[in-house]
Amino acid sequence: APSSTNSETVYYLVVEAGVWTLGDGATKIEAGIAPDISRVNCSTCGSWNNGTDLFYQQTYSAAPVVLHQVVTNNDSSWITSFASDDTSATVNPGTDGFQLALNGAESVTTHSAEDIAYIVFQSEATDTFEGVKFETDLTGNTVRGYTDAHWTESFDQTYTSAPFVLVSQLSARATNGSWAMLDAITDSQVTLYADEDQTTDTERSHSTEYGGYVTFATSGTYYLNAATAAYDEPPLEVGVVQGTTIGYMEVGTTTASSSWSTVTLTNTYT
């Protein structure tokens, strides 16, 4: 990684760990941290289908959106995160679970273990809660590299200004590794690409990858309703019931560069 870089705008989403629903309970969401992820996937590390498997705490009728991010700094060398279906690195997470690993791309082959945070959203949701529009979307196998044609998706709702968009890459179809980037956001569409490092070569072309993104009309704090798994003896089904616990979620933006930037959160999280 370079020792210095231009400042970049970073959108962030903070969700209290747990199993939740948004607003009136129509959209499922869950968040957690996978600790001590030590597997490094990279261009020379062999198969990318060798992460740590995780399973959902709610049932999803269609493949969800899984946002993911390394959230510790146990090693000074560069690293990012990787997620895909739990059975195949070349497709996005399905309805039964997903895998996480460290993503060294073409830069890093070994790395100390790190924690990876993840947020799972019910996909293709379009709704308004607390007066704020939001939506969750999967891109399909469409997102290409920086020097390729960037992929543009139209929003399902109309926004009065450019909304806040959080995006993650959800596959590793090309073995040299990449991660999702935002190119441009308008009030009606978002443009994405999959970027690569330039450690061993200068090219940034990349074959198509799966991605997922979540859109919020504005920043702020949002309240979550607890969804608690209810277990019973067979042959009864396992379901999800609404609880009374309230959790917090907040969306915001900051400016980041090669130096650490501190973000002061609005809420206190347990």
Side-chain angles (χ1 to χ4, degrees):
S3 58
S4 62
T5 185
N6 295 329
S7 296
E8 299 282 357
T9 298
V10 176
Y11 297 99
Y12 63 86
L13 171 64
V14 182
V15 177
E16 194 155 355
V19 183
W20 313 98
T21 60
L22 295 179
D24 61 1
T27 302
K28 297 176 181 179
I29 177 176
E30 56 190 85
I33 295 177
D36 298 326
I37 299 298
S38 59
R39 166 67 184 180
V40 177
N41 288 343
C42 71
S43 61
T44 59
C45 294
S47 172
W48 282 75
N49 190 34
N50 195 13
T52 298
D53 291 344
L54 286 90
F55 301 98
Y56 307 122
Q57 299 180 66
Q58 302 191 78
T59 300
Y60 298 91
S61 59
V65 175
V66 180
L67 303 180
H68 53 94
Q69 176 68 54
V70 174
V71 291
T72 52
N73 185 35
N74 297 325
D75 189 323
S76 60
S77 58
W78 176 89
I79 203 72
T80 187
S81 53
F82 156 80
S84 76
D85 184 69
D86 58 338
T87 62
S88 173
T90 61
V91 295
N92 59 293
T95 57
D96 59 344
F98 60 103
Q99 62 177 319
L100 292 174
L102 299 176
N103 177 359
E106 295 178 283
S107 294
V108 174
T109 59
T110 61
H111 198 279
S112 299
E114 303 284 3
D115 295 351
I116 298 179
Y118 61 89
I119 306 171
V120 181
F121 283 90
Q122 179 180 329
S123 64
E124 308 306 326
T126 301
D127 207 346
T128 298
F129 73 104
E130 299 177 30
V132 177
K133 293 179 179 179
F134 76 93
E135 58 188 86
T136 66
D137 296 277
L138 293 169
T139 66
N141 182 26
T142 58
V143 183
R144 297 204 64 189
Y146 175 77
T147 55
D148 305 304
H150 295 184
W151 178 254
T152 296
E153 294 224 345
S154 296
F155 295 128
D156 296 326
Q157 302 189 85
T158 300
Y159 298 91
T160 57
S161 60
F164 287 62
V165 180
L166 295 305
V167 61
S168 283
Q169 185 171 308
L170 298 175
S171 64
R173 296 178 61 81
T175 58
N176 47 355
S178 61
W179 52 92
M181 293 286 291
L182 293 167
D183 180 15
I185 307 170
T186 70
D187 59 357
S188 61
Q189 61 187 27
V190 60
T191 302
L192 312 168
Y193 64 95
D195 208 358
E196 295 185 6
D197 65 80
Q198 295 178 296
T199 302
T200 61
D201 55 49
T202 59
E203 63 84 20
R204 294 164 73 184
S205 178
H206 198 86
S207 58
T208 53
E209 299 283 1
Y210 290 84
Y213 61 94
V214 180
T215 304
F216 294 90
T218 185
S219 62
T221 294
Y222 307 101
Y223 298 96
L224 305 170
N225 298 316
T228 305
Y231 297 92
D232 211 327
E233 295 294 326
L236 298 180
E237 295 182 350
V238 177
V240 173
V241 297
Q242 288 299 115
T244 57
T245 304
I246 300 298
Y248 295 106
M249 176 177 73
E250 58 187 274
V251 181
T253 184
T254 188
T255 300
S257 63
S258 55
S259 301
W260 286 102
S261 299
T262 300
V263 176
T264 300
L265 301 177
T266 303
N267 306 289
T268 299
Y269 297 87
T270 57

